[in-house]
Amino acid sequence: MMAKAGEPLTRQKVLEVALQLVDQEGLEGFSMRKLGAMLGVEAMALYHHFENKRALFDGIIEHLIIRAPYQEPSNATPREELWAFAHAFRDSLRAHPRMLPLVATSPLRTPTTLAILDRLLQTMQRAQVTGIQAIYALQCLVGFIIGHTLIEMGPLAVAGLEPGPNGPAVWQQFPAEHYPTLHALLPEIAQWKSDHEFDFGLKALFQSLFEQ
């Protein structure tokens, strides 16, 4: 997407197009030169908005996270708020799977993402999960969201390729006499739904955190 002639180059515009570039080229194919070309400017113009490529990547993560809004129910419990956040964040990651390696390995460090982190820690504290345990709990939650999404989407999606056969289609090829328990479950595994598995994992995690 090229910037329109005469349209001012804003931080928000740079981040929107940068996310599109990652979606198209992946992190390995990303460059400031390509981003500048998509925006119709020289690469050096981008440094008026971002100190370096690392700062730009931090901004893309921020842009991705704030694209996952959720409605906090009236008088929401900590469990309800975190449940809504988990699903909204997962949806945002699923829409941009080629961002997963960057999100998984980058600490939050922009004012906006740190404000979100602070709010989530407050939510943990309202659930009586305090001190270092609040950090542990939030890391476990975010790790589960990112990890489950990565497994669901698969490495091919992260690389921008079409996914291969799913579990049942692969496992059916192996002899039942060697793996009898797995084969006995194949009819049920064929009905597997990612959304159900995600909710199952969240419920198990929340039970440990909030129902002790």
Side-chain angles (χ1 to χ4, degrees):
M1 177 184 294
M2 298 285 290
K4 296 179 181 178
E7 182 179 354
L9 187 64
T10 64
R11 182 178 187 274
Q12 178 70 14
K13 183 64 177 178
V14 172
L15 292 177
E16 289 175 357
V17 177
L19 183 56
Q20 292 173 19
L21 180 56
V22 174
D23 288 343
Q24 294 171 16
E25 302 284 342
L27 295 169
E28 67 285 353
F30 185 98
S31 73
M32 301 296 269
R33 178 185 57 78
K34 290 180 182 178
L35 179 58
M38 289 180 70
L39 288 161
V41 300
E42 294 293 330
M44 289 303 297
L46 303 174
Y47 294 99
H48 292 296
H49 300 277
F50 298 94
E51 181 180 358
N52 49 42
K53 189 176 180 180
R54 175 70 261 178
L56 175 61
F57 278 171
D58 287 341
I60 300 174
I61 294 171
E62 172 190 304
H63 184 64
L64 183 67
I65 292 175
I66 64 177
R67 284 165 65 97
Y70 65 94
Q71 297 297 320
E72 297 182 25
S74 178
N75 301 318
T77 65
R79 180 180 180 132
E80 290 169 337
E81 183 175 340
L82 292 169
W83 183 274
F85 167 76
H87 282 84
F89 187 33
R90 175 183 177 234
D91 288 344
S92 190
L93 292 175
R94 291 168 83 189
H96 304 280
R98 303 187 82 172
M99 280 290 297
L100 277 164
L102 185 62
V103 175
T105 57
S106 301
L108 302 180
R109 49 190 159 199
T110 70
T112 298
T113 54
L114 287 174
I116 293 171
L117 173 61
D118 192 76
R119 186 196 69 208
L120 292 170
L121 287 172
Q122 290 177 30
T123 303
M124 286 292 179
Q125 292 180 347
R126 286 197 297 116
Q128 306 306 311
V129 182
T130 59
I132 192 63
Q133 290 191 348
I135 293 288
Y136 292 160
L138 191 55
Q139 289 278 55
C140 286
L141 175 60
V142 173
F144 171 71
I145 297 166
I146 294 173
H148 187 274
T149 307
L150 180 58
I151 293 171
E152 175 193 0
M153 304 302 292
L156 292 179
V158 173
L161 303 173
E162 290 296 322
N166 61 16
V170 173
W171 297 331
Q172 189 73 50
Q173 304 169 28
F174 296 92
E177 60 269 24
H178 291 175
Y179 313 101
T181 306
L182 177 60
H183 270 261
L185 286 172
L186 284 180
E188 294 188 47
I189 295 174
Q191 302 175 42
W192 169 89
K193 294 185 183 302
S194 180
D195 291 346
H196 294 172
E197 183 180 81
F198 185 74
D199 287 353
F200 178 92
L202 270 188
K203 288 174 183 176
L205 182 59
F206 283 6
Q207 183 175 7
S208 174
L209 289 175
F210 308 131
E211 299 176 10
Q212 298 179 2

